[in-house]
Amino acid sequence: MKKVYNEMAGEMMLPRNGYIHNQLVRLEIATLGCEALGLEVEKVEWFDSCRPRLVVRDNNTTRHLVKTGKAMNYGSEVKNGIRIYLHQMMVEGVKIIWKSDVTKH
């Protein structure tokens, strides 16, 4: 396979390696953005063909983001009879998700 120039890496890379590298850089920048917002990243979810996303812990900051409309609810699930709400927002071009036991705080 032929290498191509990867602008973010500043060097020639195999195309798939370049794609993975670019996604890792985006995750790094988004993690710094989460840190600036006071969001604690729990993990990265990365599926085969889609972009990775960060999962953060629910806290006062995430509740404020939902309340002010900077984050949105995209669904819910029920666990042990308790409805859990799913929230999301974008930080530096990366999807950030979390779960909460209340829709609007």
Side-chain angles (χ1 to χ4, degrees):
M1 183 163 272
K2 187 176 179 181
K3 291 185 177 187
V4 294
Y5 183 75
N6 183 304
E7 199 169 308
M8 283 187 161
E11 62 182 72
M12 300 296 284
M13 297 182 80
L14 294 171
R16 184 70 182 160
N17 289 350
Y19 171 78
I20 297 296
H21 176 269
N22 291 348
Q23 295 303 314
L24 290 169
V25 170
R26 292 181 66 204
L27 286 171
E28 178 183 13
I29 293 168
T31 301
L32 294 172
C34 286
E35 179 67 24
L37 289 170
L39 303 176
E40 184 180 358
V41 176
E42 290 184 321
K43 64 182 178 178
V44 176
E45 290 184 344
W46 198 333
F47 306 102
D48 289 337
S49 61
C50 67
R51 294 180 176 178
R53 61 189 185 180
L54 296 173
V55 179
V56 299
R57 290 186 194 271
D58 184 40
N59 62 21
N60 289 334
T61 302
T62 57
R63 294 174 191 150
H64 179 73
L65 292 166
V66 172
K67 187 176 182 179
T68 59
K70 294 179 182 172
M72 62 176 269
N73 174 273
Y74 70 93
S76 65
E77 58 188 35
V78 177
K79 284 189 178 179
N80 299 325
I82 300 171
R83 184 163 302 278
I84 303 296
Y85 297 93
L86 311 172
H87 302 285
Q88 69 181 5
M89 65 181 291
M90 297 293 282
V91 173
E92 301 293 337
V94 173
K95 187 178 284 186
I96 309 300
I97 64 168
W98 66 93
K99 296 178 181 183
S100 175
D101 58 358
V102 251
T103 59
K104 298 270 186 189
H105 300 23

